[in-house]
Amino acid sequence: MKSSRLPSLLLIPLLAASSLLAASAITQREITAASEVIKRFTDSEGPRLRIGGIDSENGNPVYATKATEEGLTISGSSGVAICKGFYDYVKSQGAGISSWTGKRFELPILPELTGKETKVVSPVKYHYYFNVVTYGYTMPYWDWPRWEKEIDWMALHGIDMPLALVAHEAITARVFKKLGLSDKEISEYFVGPAHLPWMRMGNISGIDGPLPEEWHKDQVALQHKILERMRSLGMTPICPGFSGFVPPAIKRLYPDIKLVETHWAGSFKNWMLSPDQKLFTKIGKMFVMEWEKEFGPCSHYLVDSFNEMDVPFPPHGTPERYKLLADYGDKVYQSIKEGSPRAVWVMQGWMFGYQRNIWDPKSLEALVSKVPDDKMLLLDLAVDYNKNFWNNGTNWDFYKGFFNKDWIYSVIPNMGGKTGMTGVLDFYANGHLEALNSPNRGHLAGIGMAPEGFENNEVIYELMADAGWSDKPIDLDAWLKNYDICRYGDTDKALDDYWKIIRQSVYGSFTDHPRFNWQFRPGRIGKGSINTNPEFYQAIERFASCANDFRDSDLYVSDLTELTAAYLGGKIELLIQASEMAMQDDNMDQAKRYEQEIEALMSGMDRLLASHPIHRLDVWLNYARKHGSSQELKDYYEKNARRLVTIWGPPIDDYAAKIWSGLIRDYYLPRRKEYLKAKFDPSVKIDLPAWERDWVEKNRGVSPVSPFEDPVAAARELIARAAKVSPDIIKQPEGILIGTWNPETVGTEWKELSWSVSPSALKQAKALRFSYTKGTNKLEISHVRIEMDGNTVADIQQNGTTGIENINNVYRFRIPQDAQGNNSCRIIARVRSDGQADSRGNVELIPISQ
């Protein structure tokens, strides 16, 4: 690897710099905490550095840097601002980076010693981070060392408003117990740790419960450390409040209360206590008081009651609806206020873009109308979805600046912690400028990120963290070049080419749920959702072409293994489509050859990722097992961790879609082999859902694997091998192929077949076609229905057949504009074959363009 670094300055201890405090509001505690973050990042006492305080400007955080012969001086309005100032200086010198896969730091040389001060004022007061479900998909089993690293990452990236939900259930259990519920009634209501976010939002109950009592003690101790560190850096943590969800056993104590049974994703339920009942206010007040008794005062409390659920209010346009919503909002706020008069009610705004059929402007205006403007903060979570997926305009325009309430501009770059690549880099660099300059900006208070999971697509988070502190356009080409220098120590033309080309593919397009077809239950014949266009492969080949120059960079090697896995994943997807088509044509010898190559590439991908610092199943499971004080509890936590990253519930199967070493060799590949048993021998009967449940509930640990001695050489060899797999091996159907039928799946009696499909493909289609390809018997179809998130959105009663002659074999539909399928999307058909059921064919979506 080439190096352009010059000799660095000598290390000397950090100065406490109390003399630099001046009249600013920053405390010595924050300066000390910031200096400790810098020490941990630099693995030293720090460079020649003086740090101190500076006033914020109009309430917005500020930092200033100045280089002189005496060293570098950093002044900040908070501990976070100081850390951000130091980190930005390091990056300005190309001297290092802090990331989840590792860090790089070389002591920076000082620029020209002009003594000129560089001052940066954030355009907003807050910089938000986390999503409620991040506490499921990424963080449920973190220990303090991992949390400390994350808080350091947050401080260096200028994050000062994190969601802090650890120990939510411990406080909830105390409140329920004070009300008179038994330990058994409480523990049986709670779900397993990785699923707690959805219980908190009223979506689920019963999964992997009861929750062990030891969990609460562990989480309380952990949250004390988390909040202490966040506060010491000047962060404003958002803590949980009471959202109204209670165990049904509460009716034993209050038989006259009205509980509403909530439903989610077609299969799950919880129980909601309406805010119009006095018990809601009582519990809300008790929760806040119990929280502050344990953890001290909190200024912001998160309360969400309608996550992806219907609103139990009268129809749009009726005065009663808006009155009830206004009263509802008032009751929720009052329940917080009674526990903490100074507190602000924080609410997630996912539903504002996702469910506009429910949340029209008048409904939201009514909900917030009785809450003081300075006592509410709305999280506009998913601007990237508004702009790049739903294409339904921005929420700040639709809701007219959020009716004078403070709000946070935010994005959701990831669903479920999926490791697939996606995201429009140009948007993440400069999309926030539209909000900053909008006439409907209103009380824009912050910019943030709310991924459902992270430790993936790291460039997006680095970019967004920089964007949140800037009101000027970012030159993305220059930014990416500096990113390479900071991350790898240098750059070259191959890396420049990589970024130019990849921005014509996965980093120039937005995919709601990026998954390969092999990450779904086998039998899905169509393509996955990752944008594996020709530029995708070309870009990764360019990245790998400079491997010998950068093999000494740990971060380059990690990125190479990750990108190679993505490359192989796309080629495996092609092979699976070709194999399924060969089996459909009864060409089993050809299918077996494809399957041999699939196994070779999947095994190579898995072994390569064994060298990756975090994309490994053993890392995930080890965090879970460390929480158990006994073998039984260790096994319990592991089972829960396994469930979330595979079957989830079901029915939200394969939602998390991790491309991890261990998960590939122990789950995805063996599941496919199980599926192939029946394909290659029709006398074999298999039950894939049962196989999946057994994997979650009965298996423990990860099978052994030996990482490649030279992962760089292995990556290049695997890319060269996979490059030979061409899209030409697939016979392209006229429509979008989503599935097949064959003698193993149909019979002479009526039965239902089901095929998963992406919501985006469904919304771009106008009909479903059954196309016979081979066999002596026709297929009869009597009924087709389409389900999104468990709700039927199309139901077509039509008798049709496909065989030598096609009669009514096209089923037309229209998906309602407001229909959503974030968690699951299925097409279900009632079919049978005549004669001996010797019938084969394809099921295709017909695009609107045809």
mmCIF file of all heavy atoms in Angstrom, residues 810-826:
data_model
loop_
_atom_site.group_PDB
_atom_site.id
_atom_site.type_symbol
_atom_site.label_atom_id
_atom_site.label_comp_id
_atom_site.label_asym_id
_atom_site.label_seq_id
_atom_site.Cartn_x
_atom_site.Cartn_y
_atom_site.Cartn_z
ATOM 1 N N VAL A 810 -54.759 -15.625 -16.682
ATOM 2 C CA VAL A 810 -54.211 -14.348 -16.230
ATOM 3 C C VAL A 810 -55.173 -13.731 -15.215
ATOM 4 O O VAL A 810 -56.357 -13.569 -15.503
ATOM 5 C CB VAL A 810 -53.990 -13.375 -17.409
ATOM 6 C CG1 VAL A 810 -53.530 -12.015 -16.903
ATOM 7 C CG2 VAL A 810 -52.961 -13.955 -18.381
ATOM 8 N N TYR A 811 -54.635 -13.407 -14.046
ATOM 9 C CA TYR A 811 -55.453 -12.880 -12.952
ATOM 10 C C TYR A 811 -55.064 -11.427 -12.703
ATOM 11 O O TYR A 811 -53.992 -11.129 -12.186
ATOM 12 C CB TYR A 811 -55.258 -13.730 -11.688
ATOM 13 C CG TYR A 811 -55.908 -15.084 -11.825
ATOM 14 C CD1 TYR A 811 -55.352 -16.061 -12.644
ATOM 15 C CD2 TYR A 811 -57.096 -15.370 -11.175
ATOM 16 C CE1 TYR A 811 -55.953 -17.288 -12.811
ATOM 17 C CE2 TYR A 811 -57.717 -16.609 -11.326
ATOM 18 C CZ TYR A 811 -57.140 -17.560 -12.148
ATOM 19 O OH TYR A 811 -57.758 -18.774 -12.299
ATOM 20 N N ARG A 812 -55.949 -10.528 -13.108
ATOM 21 C CA ARG A 812 -55.651 -9.103 -13.000
ATOM 22 C C ARG A 812 -55.997 -8.589 -11.602
ATOM 23 O O ARG A 812 -56.961 -9.060 -10.977
ATOM 24 C CB ARG A 812 -56.418 -8.309 -14.062
ATOM 25 C CG ARG A 812 -56.028 -8.722 -15.471
ATOM 26 C CD ARG A 812 -56.663 -7.850 -16.531
ATOM 27 N NE ARG A 812 -56.233 -8.280 -17.862
ATOM 28 C CZ ARG A 812 -55.092 -7.923 -18.421
ATOM 29 N NH1 ARG A 812 -54.278 -7.097 -17.772
ATOM 30 N NH2 ARG A 812 -54.753 -8.366 -19.617
ATOM 31 N N PHE A 813 -55.206 -7.636 -11.155
ATOM 32 C CA PHE A 813 -55.449 -7.063 -9.829
ATOM 33 C C PHE A 813 -54.979 -5.622 -9.810
ATOM 34 O O PHE A 813 -54.249 -5.162 -10.696
ATOM 35 C CB PHE A 813 -54.724 -7.870 -8.743
ATOM 36 C CG PHE A 813 -53.227 -7.973 -8.943
ATOM 37 C CD1 PHE A 813 -52.368 -6.936 -8.568
ATOM 38 C CD2 PHE A 813 -52.663 -9.113 -9.515
ATOM 39 C CE1 PHE A 813 -51.008 -7.027 -8.759
ATOM 40 C CE2 PHE A 813 -51.287 -9.206 -9.707
ATOM 41 C CZ PHE A 813 -50.456 -8.162 -9.331
ATOM 42 N N ARG A 814 -55.368 -4.937 -8.777
ATOM 43 C CA ARG A 814 -54.890 -3.566 -8.545
ATOM 44 C C ARG A 814 -54.612 -3.429 -7.057
ATOM 45 O O ARG A 814 -55.518 -3.587 -6.236
ATOM 46 C CB ARG A 814 -55.932 -2.539 -8.984
ATOM 47 C CG ARG A 814 -55.466 -1.090 -8.803
ATOM 48 C CD ARG A 814 -56.531 -0.113 -9.306
ATOM 49 N NE ARG A 814 -56.104 1.253 -9.112
ATOM 50 C CZ ARG A 814 -56.254 1.921 -7.967
ATOM 51 N NH1 ARG A 814 -56.810 1.331 -6.916
ATOM 52 N NH2 ARG A 814 -55.855 3.177 -7.862
ATOM 53 N N ILE A 815 -53.357 -3.178 -6.717
ATOM 54 C CA ILE A 815 -52.983 -3.019 -5.324
ATOM 55 C C ILE A 815 -53.358 -1.609 -4.868
ATOM 56 O O ILE A 815 -52.999 -0.629 -5.528
ATOM 57 C CB ILE A 815 -51.465 -3.240 -5.126
ATOM 58 C CG1 ILE A 815 -51.061 -4.630 -5.628
ATOM 59 C CG2 ILE A 815 -51.075 -3.068 -3.667
ATOM 60 C CD1 ILE A 815 -51.738 -5.767 -4.910
ATOM 61 N N PRO A 816 -54.089 -1.480 -3.763
ATOM 62 C CA PRO A 816 -54.424 -0.131 -3.272
ATOM 63 C C PRO A 816 -53.165 0.698 -3.048
ATOM 64 O O PRO A 816 -52.133 0.184 -2.602
ATOM 65 C CB PRO A 816 -55.145 -0.407 -1.939
ATOM 66 C CG PRO A 816 -55.672 -1.800 -2.077
ATOM 67 C CD PRO A 816 -54.675 -2.535 -2.929
ATOM 68 N N GLN A 817 -53.236 1.959 -3.371
ATOM 69 C CA GLN A 817 -52.071 2.832 -3.294
ATOM 70 C C GLN A 817 -51.487 2.877 -1.895
ATOM 71 O O GLN A 817 -50.278 2.989 -1.718
ATOM 72 C CB GLN A 817 -52.446 4.235 -3.756
ATOM 73 C CG GLN A 817 -51.253 5.187 -3.873
ATOM 74 C CD GLN A 817 -51.657 6.530 -4.441
ATOM 75 O OE1 GLN A 817 -52.837 6.791 -4.642
ATOM 76 N NE2 GLN A 817 -50.685 7.384 -4.703
ATOM 77 N N ASP A 818 -52.348 2.789 -0.881
ATOM 78 C CA ASP A 818 -51.872 2.913 0.497
ATOM 79 C C ASP A 818 -51.518 1.574 1.132
ATOM 80 O O ASP A 818 -51.175 1.509 2.306
ATOM 81 C CB ASP A 818 -52.904 3.639 1.364
ATOM 82 C CG ASP A 818 -54.266 2.947 1.345
ATOM 83 O OD1 ASP A 818 -54.367 1.832 0.800
ATOM 84 O OD2 ASP A 818 -55.232 3.538 1.871
ATOM 85 N N ALA A 819 -51.588 0.472 0.390
ATOM 86 C CA ALA A 819 -51.254 -0.839 0.945
ATOM 87 C C ALA A 819 -49.756 -0.937 1.201
ATOM 88 O O ALA A 819 -48.953 -0.467 0.401
ATOM 89 C CB ALA A 819 -51.693 -1.954 0.003
ATOM 90 N N GLN A 820 -49.384 -1.568 2.312
ATOM 91 C CA GLN A 820 -47.979 -1.692 2.674
ATOM 92 C C GLN A 820 -47.658 -3.135 3.031
ATOM 93 O O GLN A 820 -48.480 -3.829 3.633
ATOM 94 C CB GLN A 820 -47.636 -0.783 3.862
ATOM 95 C CG GLN A 820 -47.822 0.703 3.593
ATOM 96 C CD GLN A 820 -46.812 1.267 2.613
ATOM 97 O OE1 GLN A 820 -45.873 0.589 2.216
ATOM 98 N NE2 GLN A 820 -46.999 2.513 2.209
ATOM 99 N N GLY A 821 -46.459 -3.566 2.660
ATOM 100 C CA GLY A 821 -46.024 -4.928 2.968
ATOM 101 C C GLY A 821 -44.626 -4.943 3.522
ATOM 102 O O GLY A 821 -43.765 -5.664 3.020
ATOM 103 N N ASN A 822 -44.410 -4.150 4.541
ATOM 104 C CA ASN A 822 -43.053 -4.022 5.083
ATOM 105 C C ASN A 822 -42.531 -5.332 5.648
ATOM 106 O O ASN A 822 -41.347 -5.622 5.558
ATOM 107 C CB ASN A 822 -43.053 -2.949 6.175
ATOM 108 C CG ASN A 822 -41.680 -2.706 6.745
ATOM 109 O OD1 ASN A 822 -40.740 -2.449 6.026
ATOM 110 N ND2 ASN A 822 -41.565 -2.808 8.060
ATOM 111 N N ASN A 823 -43.413 -6.146 6.234
ATOM 112 C CA ASN A 823 -42.964 -7.351 6.927
ATOM 113 C C ASN A 823 -43.159 -8.631 6.125
ATOM 114 O O ASN A 823 -42.354 -9.548 6.230
ATOM 115 C CB ASN A 823 -43.698 -7.477 8.265
ATOM 116 C CG ASN A 823 -43.465 -6.260 9.141
ATOM 117 O OD1 ASN A 823 -42.341 -5.932 9.453
ATOM 118 N ND2 ASN A 823 -44.534 -5.573 9.520
ATOM 119 N N SER A 824 -44.220 -8.707 5.333
ATOM 120 C CA SER A 824 -44.437 -9.903 4.526
ATOM 121 C C SER A 824 -45.370 -9.580 3.372
ATOM 122 O O SER A 824 -46.244 -8.725 3.482
ATOM 123 C CB SER A 824 -45.031 -11.049 5.372
ATOM 124 O OG SER A 824 -46.315 -10.693 5.855
ATOM 125 N N CYS A 825 -45.170 -10.276 2.266
ATOM 126 C CA CYS A 825 -45.963 -10.066 1.062
ATOM 127 C C CYS A 825 -46.096 -11.420 0.369
ATOM 128 O O CYS A 825 -45.085 -12.027 0.018
ATOM 129 C CB CYS A 825 -45.234 -9.070 0.156
ATOM 130 S SG CYS A 825 -46.310 -7.916 -0.638
ATOM 131 N N ARG A 826 -47.338 -11.912 0.181
ATOM 132 C CA ARG A 826 -47.506 -13.253 -0.378
ATOM 133 C C ARG A 826 -48.615 -13.271 -1.414
ATOM 134 O O ARG A 826 -49.617 -12.555 -1.294
ATOM 135 C CB ARG A 826 -47.866 -14.256 0.723
ATOM 136 C CG ARG A 826 -46.831 -14.450 1.803
ATOM 137 C CD ARG A 826 -47.182 -15.651 2.664
ATOM 138 N NE ARG A 826 -48.520 -15.546 3.238
ATOM 139 C CZ ARG A 826 -49.245 -16.589 3.653
ATOM 140 N NH1 ARG A 826 -48.768 -17.823 3.532
ATOM 141 N NH2 ARG A 826 -50.452 -16.424 4.191
#
